């Protein structure tokens, strides 16, 4: 009788709020049924949150390294768990928390345990966003993995940018790979990168290419190759129907391939995975996903003729022209959140509370990534949504916590409306500069090689007034808003 594989799971996690929610705990519990789980959170976790992980995992740490998931994989393998301890396992899983668990892992692990390979993943993909137009990515039908391994891998090397990869959110490595010095050196070389594309090319694609080049045989649970990460497309639900155990967070939260009708994701998921924990997933999603992007994702629909309808707010010159032609309603008040903190400043919130008691005033709050619940009578919508732009076009009063273009993402006219900049105590704008009083420029002497430097002239005002928090704050505001009423 063949003994079962002894597994370790190195789990990379991150939470923007420093919380360990039920969605993550479900993933840790399920991994723990099949492996010894070692968790690293990239950043600080309060002791009570870290304790949730330590109660379930073999080991759990919270250390800031800033090198994304591969940074956690590397630190766990090389330092926190160590290669000596990992030598006791037949298979080591690298898993991150970018997916929600929708069904147990038994089928996947049992299927792959019988595969003759050195390493495996859940699925492979050909192409990334930066290489969409490459001729080798023009295929539309899935390609069997046998054909990929036997016929296509050599051709992929001819691409200007190598972009074949196994998804790094769930990978498994057996002793031939784990004992390979090149694999260990690869993980030891992981460093923080300036952008996500470099992480994908250097580590996700780079690891796939390294192991193939070293002759390590691979396999995937999904038996075909798809273009452009099928877990970010309509194929995600088809894969789950065929036994795929995970739902990618990014599909719902960002939807960069414009998949329609994700507003009904709960119903669509339950059709293909009846026991999926949709309530747990929704609670996590609404807490962690950028609210403006989530709303955009859910607003993409399919028209009766089958075409995909993507919300397209007015931008640039089109917005400016429409703004100049639209009549303003003095009872429509629009208040924008701070473009840096994505919160409604206390001064703006106090102004909102003062006007919302007036039944004639119809307030609108323009948000960004943070969800805001401001109670009845206040329309809350993202600043760059079609609804937000429509409210802005008709607003007679606009309240901004920063320079209007930065706060609203579009320039607004002062004709027919009042634009008020609100301040929260003693603060200076990062780009603020004391403006010199306007003066007549010196006369130009044509005998000089070049005309003299002009003093900075008084700028065109972008706000009607500034609401300062105090007399002292009013003086501080002069550095940014010279000549504007207070």
């Amino acid at each position: 009788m063949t003994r079962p594989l002894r597994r370790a799971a190195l789990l990379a996690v991150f939470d923007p709020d420093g919380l360990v929610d039920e969605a993550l705990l479900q993933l840790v519990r399920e991994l723990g049924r099949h492996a010894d789980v070692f968790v690293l959170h990239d950043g600080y976790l309060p002791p009570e949150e870290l304790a949730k992980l330590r109660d379930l995992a073999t080991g759990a740490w919270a250390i800031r390294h800033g090198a994304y998931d591969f940074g956690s994989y590397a630190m766990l393998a090389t330092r926190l768990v160590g290669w000596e301890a990992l030598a006791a396992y037949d298979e080591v899983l690298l898993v991150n928390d970018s997916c929600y668990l929708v069904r147990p892992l038994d089928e996947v692990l049992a299927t792959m345990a019988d595969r003759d390979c050195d390493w495996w993943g859940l699925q492979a993909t050909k192409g990334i966003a930066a290489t969409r137009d490459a001729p080798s990515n023009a295929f539309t039908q899935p390609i069997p993995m046998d054909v990929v391994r036997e016929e296509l891998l050599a051709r992929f090397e001819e691409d200007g940018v190598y972009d074949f990869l196994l998804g790094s959110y769930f990978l498994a490595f057996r002793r031939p790979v784990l004992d390979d010095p090149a694999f260990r050196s690869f993980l030891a070389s992981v460093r923080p990168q300036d952008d996500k594309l470099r992480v994908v090319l250097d580590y996700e694609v780079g690891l796939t290419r390294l192991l193939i080049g070293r002759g390590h045989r691979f396999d995937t649970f999904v038996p075909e190759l798809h273009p452009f990460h099928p877990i970010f497309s309509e194929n995600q639900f088809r894969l789950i129907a065929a036994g795929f155990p995970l739902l990618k967070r990014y599909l719902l939260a960002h939807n960069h391939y414009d998949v329609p009708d994700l507003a009904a994701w709960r119903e669509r998921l339950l059709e293909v995975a009846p026991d999926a924990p949709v309530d747990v997933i929704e609670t996590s999603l609404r807490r962690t996903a950028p609210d403006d992007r989530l709303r955009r994702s859910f607003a993409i629909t399919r028209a009766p003729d089958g075409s995909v309808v993507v919300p397209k707010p007015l931008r640039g010159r089109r917005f400016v022209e429409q703004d100049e032609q639209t009549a303003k309603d003095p009872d429509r008040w629009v208040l924008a959140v701070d473009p840096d903190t994505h919160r409604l400043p206390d001064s703006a919130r106090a102004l909102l509370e003062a006007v919302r008691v007036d039944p004639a005033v119809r307030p609108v709050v323009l948000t960004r990534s943070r969800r805001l619940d401001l109670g009845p009578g206040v329309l809350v919508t993202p600043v760059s949504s079609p609804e937000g732009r429509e409210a802005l076009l008709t607003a007679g009063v606009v309240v901004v916590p920063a320079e209007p273009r930065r706060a609203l993402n579009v320039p607004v006219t002062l004709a027919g409306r009042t634009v008020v900049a609100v301040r929260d105590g003693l603060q200076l704008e990062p780009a603020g500069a004391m403006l010199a009083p306007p003066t007549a420029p010196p006369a130009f002497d044509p005998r000089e090689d070049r005309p003299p430097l002009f003093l900075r002239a008084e700028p065109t005002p972008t706000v009607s007034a500034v609401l300062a928090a105090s007399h002292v704050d009013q003086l501080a505001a002069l550095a940014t808003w010279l000549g504007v009423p207070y």
Side-chain angles (χ1 to χ4, degrees):
M1 179 177 179
T2 304
R3 69 173 178 82
L5 292 175
R6 188 180 181 201
R7 296 185 181 92
L10 308 185
L11 178 59
V13 303
F14 171 76
D15 188 276
D17 301 322
L19 298 176
V20 175
D21 63 17
E22 181 58 26
L24 175 58
L25 293 177
Q26 287 186 351
L27 178 60
V28 176
R29 291 189 196 102
E30 180 59 20
L31 286 170
R33 293 180 52 235
H34 307 278
D36 292 338
V37 183
F38 302 92
V39 187
L40 175 56
H41 179 274
D42 180 11
Y44 172 76
L45 279 181
E48 62 273 16
E49 297 298 315
L50 185 58
K52 296 178 183 178
L53 296 174
R54 287 180 169 165
D55 287 345
L56 296 175
T58 304
W61 300 265
I63 302 171
R64 179 61 177 159
H65 55 74
Y68 294 97
D69 299 324
F70 271 93
S72 290
Y73 297 154
M75 186 174 289
L76 285 165
T78 61
R79 290 175 46 191
L80 300 176
V81 182
W83 291 116
E84 183 177 350
L86 293 176
Y89 297 95
D90 305 302
E91 190 170 81
V92 174
L93 309 179
L94 301 187
V95 184
N96 67 37
D97 64 342
S98 65
C99 301
Y100 292 115
L101 184 73
V102 299
R103 59 161 47 95
L105 297 173
D106 300 72
E107 179 184 353
V108 167
L109 295 176
T111 298
M112 300 312 295
D114 292 334
R115 300 285 180 86
D116 182 17
C117 60
D118 300 328
W119 65 293
W120 58 270
L122 289 181
Q123 50 84 212
T125 188
K126 178 66 173 69
I128 56 178
T131 62
R132 288 192 66 130
D133 297 329
S136 61
N137 296 331
F139 67 98
T140 58
Q141 298 301 313
I143 302 173
M145 289 305 300
D146 288 343
V147 175
V148 172
R149 287 189 295 264
E150 296 169 9
E151 301 178 19
L152 298 183
L153 285 180
R155 299 183 199 175
F156 294 164
E157 290 288 344
E158 300 171 3
D159 289 349
V161 176
Y162 189 90
D163 58 5
F164 173 73
L165 70 147
L166 271 63
S168 64
Y169 55 91
F170 198 109
L171 292 171
F173 304 95
R174 293 171 182 164
R175 293 298 350 152
V177 173
L178 297 171
D179 295 333
D180 188 337
F183 175 69
R184 297 189 180 195
S185 295
F186 177 89
L187 286 182
S189 71
V190 173
R191 298 290 183 273
Q193 299 290 341
D194 293 335
D195 60 73
K196 188 66 177 292
L197 178 59
R198 284 257 55 91
V199 174
V200 172
L201 292 176
D202 290 353
Y203 300 136
E204 191 167 20
V205 175
L207 177 59
T208 296
R209 193 178 191 186
L210 170 72
L211 296 182
I212 290 174
R214 299 282 293 177
H216 294 295
R217 297 165 300 164
F218 73 90
D219 209 336
T220 57
F221 176 71
V222 176
E224 307 93 9
L225 173 67
H226 295 262
F228 307 118
H229 262 326
I231 54 176
F232 295 137
S233 71
E234 292 273 12
N235 282 330
Q236 169 74 100
F237 296 100
R238 299 188 188 103
L239 294 179
I240 293 174
F244 200 83
L246 303 174
L247 171 67
K248 197 72 171 178
R249 293 174 183 246
Y250 204 90
L251 168 63
L252 301 178
H254 295 263
N255 196 5
H256 58 320
Y257 290 159
D258 293 340
V259 177
D261 300 328
L262 288 184
W265 69 267
R266 289 174 59 107
E267 295 78 7
R268 297 179 66 179
L269 179 58
L270 289 173
E271 285 180 5
V272 293
D275 296 325
V278 291
D279 291 337
V280 170
I281 293 173
E282 182 168 20
T283 298
S284 175
L285 182 70
R286 293 197 173 276
R287 180 181 65 83
T288 60
D291 187 58
D292 48 356
R293 296 185 181 182
L294 187 64
R295 289 183 182 228
R296 177 195 176 277
S297 173
F298 288 177
I300 299 171
T301 59
R302 190 179 297 279
D305 63 1
S307 62
V308 176
V309 181
V310 180
K312 295 182 178 180
L314 288 175
R315 303 178 186 275
R317 172 52 56 184
R318 291 180 59 220
F319 179 87
V320 172
E321 292 173 352
Q322 190 67 38
D323 193 27
E324 293 171 349
Q325 299 169 10
T326 303
K328 311 307 175 192
D329 181 353
D331 292 328
R332 170 68 81 183
W333 285 52
V334 165
L335 301 91
V337 299
D338 187 282
D340 297 317
T341 66
H342 298 191
R343 300 179 184 275
L344 193 64
D346 290 342
S347 52
R349 188 179 287 268
L351 193 58
L352 173 64
E353 295 304 323
V355 301
R356 71 189 300 172
V357 298
D358 186 343
V361 175
R362 301 190 310 282
V364 178
V365 174
L366 302 182
T367 61
R368 292 178 182 258
S369 67
R370 293 184 177 273
R371 291 174 57 85
L372 291 181
D373 183 4
L374 298 172
V378 180
L379 174 62
V380 178
T381 187
V383 65
S384 292
S385 67
E387 295 79 9
R389 294 288 162 81
E390 183 63 28
L392 189 56
L393 286 172
T394 60
V397 179
V398 178
V399 180
V400 293
E403 194 279 326
R405 177 63 181 266
R406 200 163 74 87
L408 302 170
N409 291 347
V410 288
V412 292
T413 180
L414 296 183
R417 67 156 57 98
T418 300
V419 179
V420 181
V422 295
R423 294 171 53 81
D424 265 357
L426 291 172
Q427 62 177 12
L428 291 175
E429 292 287 339
M434 181 63 73
L435 302 179
T439 61
F444 172 52
D445 186 343
R447 294 171 296 179
E448 297 289 339
D449 292 334
R450 57 186 177 183
L453 294 175
F454 286 75
L455 295 178
R456 185 175 180 181
E458 185 174 11
T460 301
T462 58
V463 299
S464 310
V466 176
L467 181 62
S470 66
H471 291 299
V472 176
D473 185 48
Q474 180 178 347
L475 295 175
L478 289 172
T480 302
W481 306 104
L482 180 68
V484 178
Y486 289 84

